[in-house]
Amino acid sequence: MKQPSEHDRRTVPRGLVAGAAAMAAALLAGGCGGGQRTGAGPAAGGRPAATEAARLPQATTATTVTGLPRDTAPFATNDGTVVHPRRPVPVSAAPGGQPVATLPDTQLGGPTWVPVVESRPGWRRVLLPSRPNRVTGWIPDAPGSLDIARSTQVVRVDIGDRRLTIEDSGRRVGTWTVAVGAARTPTPTGRTFLLASLAPAKPTFSPLILPVGAHSDTLDTFGGGPGTVAFHGWPDASVFGKAVTHGCVRVPKDALARLAKVPLGSPVIVTA
């Protein structure tokens, strides 16, 4: 399996598409993500035709999808397999089932890479970036439909210890004291993944925003976006080691630089 290229997994260029720029601005508004929470229900039919597929909700960080299973092993580490749909693909609750959403090939101005949590012949069950947290779905693995790779890196966040750890091939390559969600706006726990890498168009308190495929459990919207949780920097080092954010994880400068090297789709496991 090929490893994601630097182009596939690295920062969106500073000439961001409008959606990515808006998301970066929303994430930066208060140190966390935000926006309108969008409801979406199942659509009828089997594998959708083009017009039918267009009516299905897209599985993005801005949407809520229903009728799909939740992750049954929310603190497990998968084998590192990540996939990128070469074109939008239908998402079902079971292999061969009725599509209820579409996973687009791009998210926030960059390629969509999602982790595989289960495989069956011709099908992959993946973590999705939508609400509810830890929602999963089955996508077809037809010849030529997916780019398949393996990430050797895992990001771990320990809420209680306020610690961020990055592992590569099971070896710890760095650990840092970070700031996590406050009691009323906690950082959600469980298994998620690195969704995107956004470089703000204008100078701000963080040169890079790294959204993950999880959302605040207490805020439906924040700062004009969908409450997306992210890693980002912070200029005041006194916050590190404290529970003070709206759900995001604020990290030191060297931690952010190391996180920037983690391939998109890599698992992020947050424990209490």
Side-chain angles (χ1 to χ4, degrees), residues 181-236:
R184 293 186 178 182
T185 53
T187 301
T189 61
R191 178 166 59 175
T192 183
F193 60 98
L194 194 64
L195 174 64
S197 182
L198 305 178
K202 296 180 179 180
T204 183
F205 58 78
S206 184
L208 194 65
I209 310 296
L210 301 171
V212 301
H215 299 78
S216 171
D217 287 325
T218 58
L219 299 173
D220 283 352
T221 63
F222 185 85
T228 305
V229 172
F231 295 106
H232 60 75
W234 198 254
D236 182 1

Side-chain angles (χ1 to χ4, degrees), residues 2-272:
K2 81 177 185 69
Q3 184 71 10
S5 70
E6 290 297 311
H7 173 75
D8 287 337
R9 56 185 169 174
R10 290 284 52 85
T11 307
V12 178
R14 289 187 178 271
L16 296 173
V17 297
M23 174 59 72
L27 287 163
L28 287 164
C32 284
Q36 276 306 319
R37 183 168 176 176
T38 305
R47 186 177 295 271
T51 54
E52 202 171 356
R55 291 195 293 268
L56 291 174
Q58 287 201 339
T60 72
T61 190
T63 60
T64 295
V65 293
T66 60
L68 293 172
R70 301 285 289 276
D71 188 3
T72 55
F75 299 101
T77 303
N78 69 346
D79 67 357
T81 300
V82 295
V83 296
H84 164 244
R86 295 182 178 179
R87 60 191 65 83
V89 293
V91 183
S92 306
Q98 167 182 296
V100 299
T102 300
L103 181 65
D105 54 333
T106 61
Q107 300 260 342
L108 301 177
T112 299
W113 283 96
V114 291
V116 174
V117 297
E118 186 178 355
S119 296
R120 295 185 187 176
W123 296 89
R124 304 275 186 167
R125 185 160 73 101
V126 299
L127 282 174
L128 298 172
S130 307
R131 291 181 187 262
N133 286 338
R134 302 191 301 277
V135 66
T136 71
W138 290 89
I139 60 174
D141 185 7
S145 65
L146 302 175
D147 290 322
I148 304 174
R150 182 174 179 272
S151 172
T152 59
Q153 302 189 49
V154 178
V155 180
R156 299 184 185 274
V157 178
D158 187 314
I159 298 297
D161 288 343
R162 278 68 146 157
R163 297 294 291 176
L164 165 71
T165 302
I166 300 176
E167 300 173 356
D168 194 346
S169 300
R171 180 178 62 87
R172 181 181 295 183
V173 296
T175 184
W176 299 266
T177 300
V178 298
V180 298
R184 293 186 178 182
T185 53
T187 301
T189 61
R191 178 166 59 175
T192 183
F193 60 98
L194 194 64
L195 174 64
S197 182
L198 305 178
K202 296 180 179 180
T204 183
F205 58 78
S206 184
L208 194 65
I209 310 296
L210 301 171
V212 301
H215 299 78
S216 171
D217 287 325
T218 58
L219 299 173
D220 283 352
T221 63
F222 185 85
T228 305
V229 172
F231 295 106
H232 60 75
W234 198 254
D236 182 1
S238 68
V239 304
F240 300 134
K242 299 178 181 178
V244 294
T245 80
H246 291 93
C248 287
V249 179
R250 300 175 186 173
V251 305
K253 183 178 180 180
D254 55 340
L256 189 66
R258 183 59 185 81
L259 281 166
K261 299 178 182 178
V262 177
L264 299 184
S266 296
V268 175
I269 301 175
V270 183
T271 57

